[in-house]
Amino acid sequence: MSVLAGQTAIVTGSSSGIGAAIARAVGAAGANVVVNYPGGHSDAADAVVADIVAAGGAAIAFACDVSKEAEVDAMVAHAVATYGTIDIMIANAGWQKDAPFAEMTLAKWQAVIDVNLTGQFLCARAAVREFARRGMVPERSRALGKIVCMSSVHEVIPWGGHVDYAASKGGVMMLMKSIAQELAPQKIRCNGIAPGAIKTPINRSAWETPEAEKKLLELIPYGRIGEPEDIARATVWLCSDDSDYVTGTTLFVDGGMTLYPGFSTGG
Ligand code: BGC
């Protein structure tokens, strides 16, 4: 059964990594998909669109820097012009700009906060405005709209050398919960997903050599590095009516990374 049949989803940052897997999965679940990527032309975004269409779905690519208010509003307007409305916003776009704390430039800090946190604010706000304009469509979903905020295990695990990133994800958690609290009476659901170590370009150095992979696996009780599809399946569930009573929560999809594995033999 296509749990998202007839719905439209914007997936930010979906030309690669976790976002691309999510775009394919929500497309396979029946949603029309807007495959967002940061700018210019993207063969990678076109390839994700082609995959969705080849699987029998509907998708378009759309360039937009999620940290720019006018661009985000234009993206939602374009989705509405193409598909009639949006039902789902998956605020996934994010990046890392790592540095030891004393050497972290304001430019790095700002770039990470702008995309990872302000970008999610702008996307969620534009989605909420469209949900309210469109109104309930009970045959499509029990909710007026669904927002999924891509967080990280680093919304709770402090991360030296990545202070900007951890701060952005801690912010994402409270953004998500506060939106959920404010808008539940309007039947808008807002949840987060906290991936652990997922094999994507963002953390290539952490898994690309056997030595790095062995070290990384020490942090993962379940004994494997995650795949983008692990996150995509969880996202489809959070967007569907199967999770209709779930709002304001972070779903950790991390192979147990947040279980403090060091304490399994120590402490
Ligand atoms: C980061 C990855 C990291 C993982 C676990 C993610 O949010 O983007 O680089 O491997 O958290 O530490």
Side-chain angles (χ1 to χ4, degrees), residues 127-191:
V128 163
R129 289 175 176 170
E130 170 54 20
F131 300 159
R133 183 202 66 80
R134 182 237 310 137
M136 273 307 233
V137 187
E139 59 276 20
R140 228 161 42 215
S141 177
R142 295 178 73 181
L144 181 68
K146 283 89 52 162
I147 299 165
V148 175
C149 297
M150 197 52 60
S151 185
S152 163
V153 289
H154 298 296
E155 72 170 42
V156 292
I157 302 178
W159 206 16
H162 311 259
V163 165
D164 49 357
Y165 184 85
S168 74
K169 295 303 186 178
V172 163
M173 175 184 66
M174 287 308 287
L175 172 74
M176 176 278 288
K177 285 180 187 280
S178 301
I179 293 170
Q181 185 197 59
E182 184 176 331
L183 298 177
Q186 296 176 37
K187 296 280 177 288
I188 293 172
R189 296 194 295 115
C190 184
N191 290 288

Side-chain angles (χ1 to χ4, degrees), residues 6-241:
Q7 302 190 46
T8 296
I10 294 178
V11 188
T12 67
S14 58
S15 56
S16 77
I18 288 173
I22 291 174
R24 290 191 195 94
V26 294
N32 308 311
V33 189
V34 177
V35 176
N36 160 254
Y37 62 98
H41 173 81
S42 167
D43 289 340
D46 287 349
V48 175
V49 168
D51 286 348
I52 294 169
V53 172
I60 53 167
F62 194 87
C64 143
D65 174 345
V66 294
S67 70
K68 303 278 185 328
E69 184 174 38
E71 292 188 31
V72 170
D73 292 346
M75 173 170 68
V76 172
H78 186 73
V80 172
T82 308
Y83 295 120
T85 188
I86 62 167
D87 306 272
I88 296 162
M89 173 61 77
I90 299 164
N92 166 78
W95 56 4
Q96 289 181 216
K97 296 206 174 285
D98 312 325
F101 184 63
E103 283 142 46
M104 183 162 286
T105 61
L106 177 59
K108 274 194 178 185
W109 168 272
Q110 198 72 62
V112 168
I113 298 296
D114 280 356
V115 170
N116 295 18
L117 183 56
T118 307
Q120 293 208 11
F121 156 67
L122 291 172
C123 288
R125 190 187 64 179
V128 163
R129 289 175 176 170
E130 170 54 20
F131 300 159
R133 183 202 66 80
R134 182 237 310 137
M136 273 307 233
V137 187
E139 59 276 20
R140 228 161 42 215
S141 177
R142 295 178 73 181
L144 181 68
K146 283 89 52 162
I147 299 165
V148 175
C149 297
M150 197 52 60
S151 185
S152 163
V153 289
H154 298 296
E155 72 170 42
V156 292
I157 302 178
W159 206 16
H162 311 259
V163 165
D164 49 357
Y165 184 85
S168 74
K169 295 303 186 178
V172 163
M173 175 184 66
M174 287 308 287
L175 172 74
M176 176 278 288
K177 285 180 187 280
S178 301
I179 293 170
Q181 185 197 59
E182 184 176 331
L183 298 177
Q186 296 176 37
K187 296 280 177 288
I188 293 172
R189 296 194 295 115
C190 184
N191 290 288
I193 295 187
I198 309 298
K199 223 173 239 191
T200 72
I202 208 174
N203 59 358
R204 184 177 298 284
S205 62
W207 51 261
E208 73 180 342
T209 66
E211 304 77 59
E213 186 175 12
K214 185 163 176 284
K215 204 157 161 265
L216 183 56
L217 284 171
E218 286 170 14
L219 298 174
I220 308 172
Y222 203 59
R224 72 171 171 89
I225 299 173
E227 300 291 340
E229 291 70 26
D230 289 309
I231 306 303
R233 284 187 290 270
T235 306
V236 169
W237 181 73
L238 276 181
C239 292
S240 77
D241 278 0

